[in-house]
mmCIF file of all heavy atoms in Angstrom:
data_model
loop_
_atom_site.group_PDB
_atom_site.id
_atom_site.type_symbol
_atom_site.label_atom_id
_atom_site.label_comp_id
_atom_site.label_asym_id
_atom_site.label_seq_id
_atom_site.Cartn_x
_atom_site.Cartn_y
_atom_site.Cartn_z
ATOM 1 N N ARG A 18 72.070 102.003 102.090
ATOM 2 C CA ARG A 18 70.823 102.540 102.687
ATOM 3 C C ARG A 18 69.684 102.468 101.654
ATOM 4 O O ARG A 18 68.552 102.144 102.005
ATOM 5 C CB ARG A 18 71.092 103.985 103.110
ATOM 6 C CG ARG A 18 70.251 104.485 104.216
ATOM 7 C CD ARG A 18 70.586 103.872 105.558
ATOM 8 N NE ARG A 18 69.584 104.289 106.525
ATOM 9 C CZ ARG A 18 68.628 103.493 106.996
ATOM 10 N NH1 ARG A 18 68.566 102.236 106.655
ATOM 11 N NH2 ARG A 18 67.726 103.953 107.847
ATOM 12 N N ILE A 19 70.003 102.772 100.399
ATOM 13 C CA ILE A 19 68.952 102.712 99.369
ATOM 14 C C ILE A 19 68.462 101.274 99.228
ATOM 15 O O ILE A 19 67.253 101.019 99.132
ATOM 16 C CB ILE A 19 69.466 103.234 98.003
ATOM 17 C CG1 ILE A 19 69.903 104.696 98.136
ATOM 18 C CG2 ILE A 19 68.383 103.100 96.917
ATOM 19 C CD1 ILE A 19 70.741 105.206 96.966
ATOM 20 N N GLU A 21 68.317 99.046 101.471
ATOM 21 C CA GLU A 21 67.453 98.701 102.603
ATOM 22 C C GLU A 21 66.067 99.312 102.452
ATOM 23 O O GLU A 21 65.060 98.678 102.743
ATOM 24 C CB GLU A 21 68.044 99.261 103.918
ATOM 25 C CG GLU A 21 69.170 98.443 104.502
ATOM 26 C CD GLU A 21 69.916 99.222 105.593
ATOM 27 O OE1 GLU A 21 69.447 100.292 106.032
ATOM 28 O OE2 GLU A 21 70.974 98.749 105.967
ATOM 29 N N LEU A 22 66.037 100.572 101.991
ATOM 30 C CA LEU A 22 64.767 101.318 102.028
ATOM 31 C C LEU A 22 63.942 101.156 100.756
ATOM 32 O O LEU A 22 62.721 101.230 100.805
ATOM 33 C CB LEU A 22 65.048 102.813 102.261
ATOM 34 C CG LEU A 22 65.680 103.151 103.607
ATOM 35 C CD1 LEU A 22 66.124 104.620 103.640
ATOM 36 C CD2 LEU A 22 64.697 102.882 104.749
ATOM 37 N N GLN A 23 64.619 100.973 99.630
ATOM 38 C CA GLN A 23 63.903 100.899 98.347
ATOM 39 C C GLN A 23 64.469 99.737 97.523
ATOM 40 O O GLN A 23 65.235 99.939 96.571
ATOM 41 C CB GLN A 23 64.072 102.215 97.558
ATOM 42 C CG GLN A 23 63.417 103.423 98.180
ATOM 43 C CD GLN A 23 61.896 103.445 98.041
ATOM 44 O OE1 GLN A 23 61.275 102.471 97.596
ATOM 45 N NE2 GLN A 23 61.283 104.542 98.447
ATOM 46 N N PRO A 24 64.081 98.503 97.868
ATOM 47 C CA PRO A 24 64.662 97.339 97.171
ATOM 48 C C PRO A 24 64.440 97.368 95.659
ATOM 49 O O PRO A 24 65.189 96.725 94.917
ATOM 50 C CB PRO A 24 63.938 96.149 97.810
ATOM 51 C CG PRO A 24 63.340 96.671 99.074
ATOM 52 C CD PRO A 24 63.148 98.138 98.922
ATOM 53 N N PHE A 26 64.589 100.120 93.700
ATOM 54 C CA PHE A 26 65.362 101.147 92.984
ATOM 55 C C PHE A 26 66.605 100.498 92.376
ATOM 56 O O PHE A 26 67.218 99.614 92.979
ATOM 57 C CB PHE A 26 65.828 102.251 93.948
ATOM 58 C CG PHE A 26 64.781 103.294 94.262
ATOM 59 C CD1 PHE A 26 63.430 103.064 94.058
ATOM 60 C CD2 PHE A 26 65.158 104.532 94.776
ATOM 61 C CE1 PHE A 26 62.482 104.024 94.356
ATOM 62 C CE2 PHE A 26 64.218 105.501 95.074
ATOM 63 C CZ PHE A 26 62.878 105.252 94.871
ATOM 64 N N SER A 265 71.283 120.102 105.153
ATOM 65 C CA SER A 265 71.371 119.031 106.156
ATOM 66 C C SER A 265 70.831 117.697 105.628
ATOM 67 O O SER A 265 71.009 116.661 106.253
ATOM 68 C CB SER A 265 70.634 119.437 107.426
ATOM 69 O OG SER A 265 69.294 119.717 107.099
ATOM 70 N N TYR A 266 70.151 117.716 104.466
ATOM 71 C CA TYR A 266 69.722 116.475 103.811
ATOM 72 C C TYR A 266 70.723 116.028 102.748
ATOM 73 O O TYR A 266 70.423 115.157 101.944
ATOM 74 C CB TYR A 266 68.357 116.667 103.156
ATOM 75 C CG TYR A 266 67.219 116.802 104.143
ATOM 76 C CD1 TYR A 266 66.607 118.034 104.363
ATOM 77 C CD2 TYR A 266 66.755 115.700 104.847
ATOM 78 C CE1 TYR A 266 65.558 118.159 105.267
ATOM 79 C CE2 TYR A 266 65.701 115.813 105.754
ATOM 80 C CZ TYR A 266 65.115 117.048 105.964
ATOM 81 O OH TYR A 266 64.084 117.157 106.858
ATOM 82 N N ARG A 268 71.577 117.639 100.156
ATOM 83 C CA ARG A 268 71.182 118.066 98.812
ATOM 84 C C ARG A 268 72.085 119.201 98.363
ATOM 85 O O ARG A 268 72.333 120.140 99.118
ATOM 86 C CB ARG A 268 69.729 118.554 98.807
ATOM 87 C CG ARG A 268 68.725 117.459 99.085
ATOM 88 C CD ARG A 268 67.308 117.975 99.094
ATOM 89 N NE ARG A 268 67.109 118.963 100.131
ATOM 90 C CZ ARG A 268 65.933 119.250 100.681
ATOM 91 N NH1 ARG A 268 64.837 118.619 100.258
ATOM 92 N NH2 ARG A 268 65.818 120.168 101.617
ATOM 93 N N LEU A 275 72.710 114.785 95.095
ATOM 94 C CA LEU A 275 73.103 114.796 96.502
ATOM 95 C C LEU A 275 74.622 114.629 96.567
ATOM 96 O O LEU A 275 75.231 114.161 95.592
ATOM 97 C CB LEU A 275 72.423 113.634 97.235
ATOM 98 C CG LEU A 275 70.897 113.586 97.087
ATOM 99 C CD1 LEU A 275 70.369 112.200 97.445
ATOM 100 C CD2 LEU A 275 70.248 114.637 97.945
ATOM 101 N N ALA A 305 74.932 107.731 104.431
ATOM 102 C CA ALA A 305 73.679 107.057 104.787
ATOM 103 C C ALA A 305 72.496 108.022 104.633
ATOM 104 O O ALA A 305 71.433 107.638 104.122
ATOM 105 C CB ALA A 305 73.758 106.524 106.213
ATOM 106 N N ILE A 306 72.691 109.286 105.023
ATOM 107 C CA ILE A 306 71.586 110.259 104.889
ATOM 108 C C ILE A 306 71.293 110.517 103.409
ATOM 109 O O ILE A 306 70.131 110.553 102.996
ATOM 110 C CB ILE A 306 71.919 111.566 105.643
ATOM 111 C CG1 ILE A 306 71.947 111.278 107.144
ATOM 112 C CG2 ILE A 306 70.891 112.661 105.323
ATOM 113 C CD1 ILE A 306 72.459 112.408 108.003
ATOM 114 N N ALA A 307 72.355 110.653 102.604
ATOM 115 C CA ALA A 307 72.127 110.839 101.161
ATOM 116 C C ALA A 307 71.335 109.657 100.601
ATOM 117 O O ALA A 307 70.423 109.828 99.776
ATOM 118 C CB ALA A 307 73.458 110.986 100.436
ATOM 119 N N GLY A 308 71.660 108.451 101.089
ATOM 120 C CA GLY A 308 70.927 107.259 100.630
ATOM 121 C C GLY A 308 69.464 107.320 101.036
ATOM 122 O O GLY A 308 68.568 106.954 100.256
ATOM 123 N N GLU A 309 69.196 107.793 102.244
ATOM 124 C CA GLU A 309 67.807 107.904 102.700
ATOM 125 C C GLU A 309 67.046 108.918 101.846
ATOM 126 O O GLU A 309 65.914 108.677 101.441
ATOM 127 C CB GLU A 309 67.772 108.341 104.180
ATOM 128 C CG GLU A 309 68.200 107.218 105.108
ATOM 129 C CD GLU A 309 68.422 107.675 106.548
ATOM 130 O OE1 GLU A 309 67.915 108.737 106.936
ATOM 131 O OE2 GLU A 309 69.115 106.929 107.273
ATOM 132 N N VAL A 310 67.687 110.049 101.569
ATOM 133 C CA VAL A 310 67.004 111.096 100.798
ATOM 134 C C VAL A 310 66.766 110.599 99.364
ATOM 135 O O VAL A 310 65.683 110.805 98.797
ATOM 136 C CB VAL A 310 67.820 112.407 100.845
ATOM 137 C CG1 VAL A 310 67.206 113.465 99.936
ATOM 138 C CG2 VAL A 310 67.889 112.919 102.294
ATOM 139 N N ALA A 311 67.759 109.898 98.810
ATOM 140 C CA ALA A 311 67.574 109.335 97.459
ATOM 141 C C ALA A 311 66.448 108.300 97.463
ATOM 142 O O ALA A 311 65.804 108.063 96.441
ATOM 143 C CB ALA A 311 68.871 108.696 96.980
ATOM 144 N N SER A 312 66.200 107.703 98.626
ATOM 145 C CA SER A 312 65.106 106.722 98.755
ATOM 146 C C SER A 312 63.782 107.403 99.095
ATOM 147 O O SER A 312 62.822 106.744 99.488
ATOM 148 C CB SER A 312 65.433 105.723 99.869
ATOM 149 O OG SER A 312 66.676 105.138 99.668
ATOM 150 N N LEU A 313 63.789 108.728 99.032
ATOM 151 C CA LEU A 313 62.600 109.554 99.284
ATOM 152 C C LEU A 313 62.167 109.525 100.750
ATOM 153 O O LEU A 313 61.011 109.703 101.078
ATOM 154 C CB LEU A 313 61.436 109.148 98.351
ATOM 155 C CG LEU A 313 61.816 108.971 96.879
ATOM 156 C CD1 LEU A 313 60.654 108.468 96.058
ATOM 157 C CD2 LEU A 313 62.359 110.271 96.292
ATOM 158 N N HIS A 314 63.107 109.281 101.652
ATOM 159 C CA HIS A 314 62.850 109.330 103.102
ATOM 160 C C HIS A 314 63.526 110.573 103.667
ATOM 161 O O HIS A 314 64.701 110.531 103.994
ATOM 162 C CB HIS A 314 63.452 108.100 103.799
ATOM 163 C CG HIS A 314 62.665 106.858 103.603
ATOM 164 N ND1 HIS A 314 62.044 106.193 104.634
ATOM 165 C CD2 HIS A 314 62.380 106.151 102.484
ATOM 166 C CE1 HIS A 314 61.424 105.131 104.160
ATOM 167 N NE2 HIS A 314 61.624 105.081 102.858
ATOM 168 N N LEU A 315 62.782 111.665 103.766
ATOM 169 C CA LEU A 315 63.415 112.889 104.281
ATOM 170 C C LEU A 315 63.159 113.025 105.784
ATOM 171 O O LEU A 315 62.548 113.974 106.242
ATOM 172 C CB LEU A 315 62.897 114.116 103.536
ATOM 173 C CG LEU A 315 63.725 114.507 102.317
ATOM 174 C CD1 LEU A 315 63.400 113.646 101.129
ATOM 175 C CD2 LEU A 315 63.531 115.966 101.990
ATOM 176 N N THR A 316 63.625 112.047 106.546
ATOM 177 C CA THR A 316 63.335 112.081 107.973
ATOM 178 C C THR A 316 64.574 112.415 108.797
ATOM 179 O O THR A 316 64.476 112.876 109.910
ATOM 180 C CB THR A 316 62.818 110.705 108.445
ATOM 181 O OG1 THR A 316 63.668 109.711 107.905
ATOM 182 C CG2 THR A 316 61.391 110.472 108.007
ATOM 183 N N HIS A 317 65.742 112.177 108.247
ATOM 184 C CA HIS A 317 66.970 112.194 109.020
ATOM 185 C C HIS A 317 67.873 113.280 108.450
ATOM 186 O O HIS A 317 68.157 113.273 107.263
ATOM 187 C CB HIS A 317 67.607 110.799 108.852
ATOM 188 C CG HIS A 317 68.748 110.544 109.751
ATOM 189 N ND1 HIS A 317 69.448 109.366 109.708
ATOM 190 C CD2 HIS A 317 69.338 111.289 110.702
ATOM 191 C CE1 HIS A 317 70.410 109.408 110.604
ATOM 192 N NE2 HIS A 317 70.354 110.560 111.225
ATOM 193 N N GLN A 318 68.300 114.205 109.304
ATOM 194 C CA GLN A 318 69.198 115.256 108.814
ATOM 195 C C GLN A 318 70.579 115.101 109.435
ATOM 196 O O GLN A 318 70.694 114.602 110.560
ATOM 197 C CB GLN A 318 68.655 116.631 109.196
ATOM 198 C CG GLN A 318 67.314 116.928 108.563
ATOM 199 C CD GLN A 318 66.776 118.275 109.028
ATOM 200 O OE1 GLN A 318 67.430 119.290 108.907
ATOM 201 N NE2 GLN A 318 65.575 118.258 109.562
#
Side-chain angles (χ1 to χ4, degrees):
R18 206 71 188 106
I19 299 165
E21 281 166 11
L22 296 171
Q23 293 286 8
F26 279 19
S265 58
Y266 290 107
R268 293 179 298 204
L275 306 162
I306 293 171
E309 287 170 20
V310 174
S312 306
L313 314 175
H314 284 244
L315 269 80
T316 46
H317 190 182
Q318 297 177 55

